[in-house]
């Protein structure tokens, strides 16, 4: 009993909970309107056919009007922001009032049928009442006061119907009238028990939702701190690293004097690892920016042919160093798309440098640009180590290298493809690959193509031209 009182009290005084419950209640009431209306109408037609049609229709109109009250309330509550506790309490009062009116109207409708049935028990009205009670048990668990009120009104109607024939006929205890009476009591217990179970389920769901929300908040806070930390550290590392790299480059270039032969190998290693560290920091900063939504994109109409050429030229030195032959296949006419040139070059560099670094010396890489009029596809095909079939999830993940021993053979951060995927998706494009271990891989990106005449205007939104 104490628990019931506490449940009812919390609805009126525990603000946070009440908002959630009221919204859930109103949402569900509005959602189920047609289901309720259909069953009320079916019941009314049935009753009008077998019983007095005038009183039945009059009662049905009462039920219909009470439904309207709920709809008006639902429409008003839509704009409620859930903040002001006084408005919340007002809604609760309105819901409580509507409940009394609606449960009262339904009970009168059912009592009217029971009253007219003078023989053969009250199967029809009792069954209607049973359905209404079960409906309340299933869908009114959000507000305990409402559930209790509705069920109490239906319970009283059940008892009234049960007593109707007892009072009318004053039968023997062994008659079927008393049997119906006791059966009704049993059904009442069943409804109370079912309602309690539904109510408990709803409470548990609310509790779980609360826990998930709290957990989510904690995760978000931790994630933000991590991002902040990573971003600060990356920035702090980048400044001294830039001057270290510049100094080493100066020494290596011989600007500060002849470099003794013995110092050349360690200085070359220092320069190479300095570059690696700089790449890692750049990737980290890009990732942070992308995740924080702070990476700026400057979309403009551009030639994909030129983009591909530029990217291939930029990696030509690297390809030569690794002894890999790169061929480029591009159509004679310009294929245009809307994109951020620098970011797309970043994607191309990533795909190309991966193809090169995962290829064997003397291998070959083919870069192909294709267009079907609507879409443009750039693919980078290599004959390198390939990617195992079960690594698909990891390839585009963060810090993920399919074979972590790769890192010893070829450098990398495991961030490049993740960043590329995010860049491609910001262009409303797709990135994917096909690969066979030991045979090679083909990575490809696809974007919407824009037609030549569309490219006069340069928009900042990729959809502006492709739409
Ligand atoms: P990394 O900096 O390690 O290259 P990426 O995100 O660019 O990071 O790539 C992730 C992983 O995907 C690589 O470490 C490698 O295991 C696999 N991978 C990417 N491209 C290729 C390729 N062309 N051939 C084989 N494996 C590749």
């Amino acid at each position: 009993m104490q628990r019931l009182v506490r449940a009812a009290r919390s609805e009126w005084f525990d603000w946070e909970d009440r908002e959630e419950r009221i919204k859930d209640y109103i949402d569900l009431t509005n959602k189920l309107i047609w289901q309720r209306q259909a069953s009320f109408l079916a019941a009314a037609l049935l009753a009008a056919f077998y019983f007095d049609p005038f009183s039945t229709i009059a009662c049905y109109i009462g039920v219909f009007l009470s439904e309207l009250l709920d709809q008006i309330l639902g429409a008003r509550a839509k704009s409620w922001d859930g903040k002001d506790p006084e408005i919340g309490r007002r809604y609760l009062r309105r819901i409580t009032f509507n409940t009394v009116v609606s449960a009262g109207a339904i009970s009168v409708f059912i009592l009217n049928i029971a009253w007219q049935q003078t023989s053969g028990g009250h199967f029809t009205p009792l069954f209607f009442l049973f359905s209404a009670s079960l409906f309340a048990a299933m869908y009114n668990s959000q507000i305990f006061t409402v559930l209790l009120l509705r069920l109490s009104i239906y319970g009283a109607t059940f008892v009234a119907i049960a007593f109707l024939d007892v009072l009318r006929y004053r039968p023997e205890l062994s008659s079927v009238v008393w049997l119906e009476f006791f059966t009704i009591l049993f059904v009442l217990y069943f409804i109370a028990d079912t309602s309690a179970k539904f109510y408990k389920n709803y409470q548990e769901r609310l509790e779980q939702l609360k826990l998930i929300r709290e957990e989510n908040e904690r995760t978000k806070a931790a994630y933000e701190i991590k991002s902040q930390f990573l971003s600060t550290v990356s920035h702090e590392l980048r400044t001294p690293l830039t001057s270290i790299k510049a100094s080493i480059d100066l020494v290596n270039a011989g600007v500060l004097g002849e470099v003794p032969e013995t110092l050349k190998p360690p200085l070359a290693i220092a320069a190479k690892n300095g570059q690696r560290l700089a790449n890692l920091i750049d990737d980290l900063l890009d990732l942070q920016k992308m995740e924080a939504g702070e990476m700026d994109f400057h979309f403009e109409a551009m030639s994909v042919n030129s983009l591909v050429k530029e990217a291939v030229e930029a990696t030509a030195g690297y390809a030569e160093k690794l002894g890999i032959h790169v061929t480029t296949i591009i159509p004679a006419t310009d294929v245009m798309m809307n994109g951020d040139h620098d970011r797309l070059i970043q994607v191309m560099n990533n795909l190309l440098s991966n193809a090169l670094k995962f290829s064997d010396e003397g291998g070959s890489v083919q870069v192909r640009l294709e267009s079907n009029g609507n879409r443009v596809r750039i693919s980078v095909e290599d004959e390198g180590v390939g990617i195992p079939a079960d690594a698909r999830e990891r390839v585009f993940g963060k810090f993920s290298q399919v074979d972590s021993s790769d890192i010893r053979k070829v450098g990398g951060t495991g961030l490049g493809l993740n960043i590329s995927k995010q860049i491609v998706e910001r262009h409303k494009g797709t990135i994917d690959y096909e690969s066979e271990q030991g045979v090679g891989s083909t990575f490809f990106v696809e974007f919407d193509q824009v037609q030549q005449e569309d490219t006069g205007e340069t928009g900042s939104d990729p959809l502006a031209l492709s739409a």
Side-chain angles (χ1 to χ4, degrees):
M1 189 63 198
Q2 253 180 347
R3 266 176 50 200
L4 299 188
V5 174
R6 219 181 310 133
R9 256 185 73 87
S10 80
E11 275 163 21
W12 293 85
F13 300 106
D14 175 355
W15 170 233
E16 191 196 340
D17 232 0
R18 191 170 64 230
E19 178 199 344
E20 184 103 34
R21 288 160 188 273
I22 291 177
K23 283 191 166 164
D24 274 2
Y25 176 86
I26 292 178
D27 272 1
L28 205 62
T29 309
N30 284 351
K31 234 185 256 166
L32 297 173
I33 170 120
W34 294 116
Q35 193 182 336
R36 267 194 331 263
Q37 282 309 319
S39 46
F40 288 149
L41 188 65
L45 290 176
L46 199 67
F49 187 73
Y50 287 99
F51 302 99
D52 172 34
F54 295 108
S55 58
T56 304
I57 297 298
C59 289
Y60 169 70
I61 291 174
V63 173
F64 182 80
L65 290 179
S66 73
E67 277 287 303
L68 268 186
L69 285 180
D70 269 341
Q71 286 314 298
I72 295 169
L73 180 66
R76 286 222 186 121
K78 259 194 195 126
S79 55
W80 179 41
D81 60 3
K83 285 199 184 105
D84 186 347
E86 196 34 58
I87 297 182
R89 258 192 287 273
R90 210 181 305 150
Y91 276 128
L92 205 51
R93 275 197 292 273
R94 279 287 305 273
I95 292 173
T96 313
F97 174 76
N98 288 6
T99 302
V100 175
V101 175
S102 140
I106 291 170
S107 294
V108 171
F109 172 79
I110 290 169
L111 275 173
N112 177 50
I113 301 171
W115 183 256
Q116 294 174 55
Q117 247 184 344
T118 47
S119 66
H122 297 292
F123 178 79
T124 305
L126 283 175
F127 199 72
F128 284 170
L129 197 53
F130 179 72
S131 316
S133 309
L134 214 56
F135 199 86
M138 280 160 69
Y139 299 119
N140 282 3
S141 303
Q142 308 85 350
I143 306 180
F144 181 72
T145 324
V146 164
L147 180 68
L148 197 64
L149 257 177
R150 198 174 269 281
L151 288 181
S152 303
I153 294 172
Y154 290 159
T157 314
F158 263 116
V159 175
I161 295 176
F163 266 118
L164 199 62
D165 285 356
V166 172
L167 293 177
R168 258 184 197 158
Y169 308 117
R170 304 199 183 267
E172 296 265 305
L173 194 61
S174 58
S175 78
V176 284
V177 174
W178 278 108
L179 174 63
E180 193 168 84
F181 178 86
F182 290 122
T183 311
I184 288 172
L185 292 189
F186 168 75
V187 169
L188 271 182
Y189 166 76
F190 170 77
I191 290 170
D193 191 49
T194 311
S195 309
K197 294 229 158 67
F198 273 109
Y199 182 74
K200 214 170 132 216
N201 275 353
Y202 179 76
Q203 302 310 303
E204 281 169 8
R205 205 164 58 87
L206 266 193
E207 275 302 309
Q208 277 167 0
L209 221 65
K210 220 167 159 183
L211 284 180
I212 292 172
R213 238 180 251 142
E214 281 168 11
E215 198 56 44
N216 191 24
E217 287 302 315
R218 270 200 292 272
T219 314
K220 247 167 55 190
Y223 188 77
E224 252 159 46
I225 291 174
K226 182 224 81 176
S227 297
Q228 198 73 44
F229 170 76
L230 214 55
S231 165
T232 312
V233 169
S234 309
H235 272 115
E236 291 305 314
L237 282 176
R238 194 195 223 178
T239 319
L241 183 67
T242 309
S243 60
I244 293 171
K245 257 181 71 217
S247 312
I248 293 174
D249 289 346
L250 271 181
V251 175
N252 278 343
V255 177
L256 304 177
E258 186 67 29
V259 183
E261 278 307 313
T262 48
L263 279 186
K264 276 185 180 165
L267 278 172
I269 293 172
K272 194 173 145 210
N273 283 329
Q275 187 54 50
R276 229 165 117 175
L277 209 51
N279 290 345
L280 170 66
I281 291 171
D282 284 347
D283 278 356
L284 279 177
L285 285 170
D286 275 355
L287 193 72
Q288 292 306 311
K289 267 201 216 153
M290 200 88 79
E291 285 181 351
E294 287 166 3
M295 170 114 33
D296 289 333
F297 282 80
H298 303 287
F299 291 99
E300 58 187 353
M302 52 191 265
S303 152
V304 192
N305 306 46
S306 311
L307 181 89
V308 171
K309 276 187 216 150
E310 188 183 331
V312 172
E313 270 161 28
T315 45
Y318 186 41
E320 199 180 326
K321 203 168 108 193
L322 296 177
I324 292 165
H325 181 63
V326 181
T327 48
T328 315
I329 302 172
I330 30 184
T333 48
D334 255 357
V335 178
M336 305 296 291
M337 70 171 279
N338 217 13
D340 181 315
H341 171 268
D342 293 353
R343 296 288 163 220
L344 290 176
I345 282 286
Q346 192 177 344
V347 173
M348 286 306 300
N349 280 347
N350 182 239
L351 297 186
L352 272 162
S353 62
N354 277 351
L356 295 171
K357 77 183 176 189
F358 291 108
S359 287
D360 296 324
E361 199 181 340
S364 69
V365 167
Q366 193 176 74
V367 187
R368 187 189 289 266
L369 167 60
E370 291 160 294
S371 139
N372 69 0
N374 296 320
R375 298 280 282 176
V376 43
R377 172 193 265 238
I378 310 168
S379 48
V380 180
E381 184 180 348
D382 66 55
E383 299 167 348
V385 292
I387 301 169
D390 63 354
R392 192 159 274 275
E393 290 289 306
R394 272 175 292 150
V395 167
F396 292 104
K398 284 178 197 136
F399 300 103
S400 52
Q401 291 171 319
V402 174
D403 173 5
S404 50
S405 64
D406 280 350
I407 203 156
R408 265 165 263 135
K409 192 173 156 228
V410 287
T413 60
L415 282 174
L417 282 175
N418 184 276
I419 294 171
S420 296
K421 189 169 173 11
Q422 297 196 52
I423 293 176
V424 170
E425 282 169 358
R426 281 290 293 269
H427 284 76
K428 315 259 182 244
T430 52
I431 180 167
D432 209 345
Y433 71 89
E434 283 159 6
S435 182
E436 199 178 326
Q437 223 175 348
V439 177
S441 318
T442 306
F443 276 78
F444 47 87
V445 286
E446 274 187 23
F447 303 99
D448 276 342
Q449 185 180 335
V450 292
Q451 304 308 320
Q452 292 279 7
E453 61 266 28
D454 294 339
T455 57
E457 51 186 309
T458 55
S460 60
D461 179 354
L463 286 177
L465 292 179
S466 59

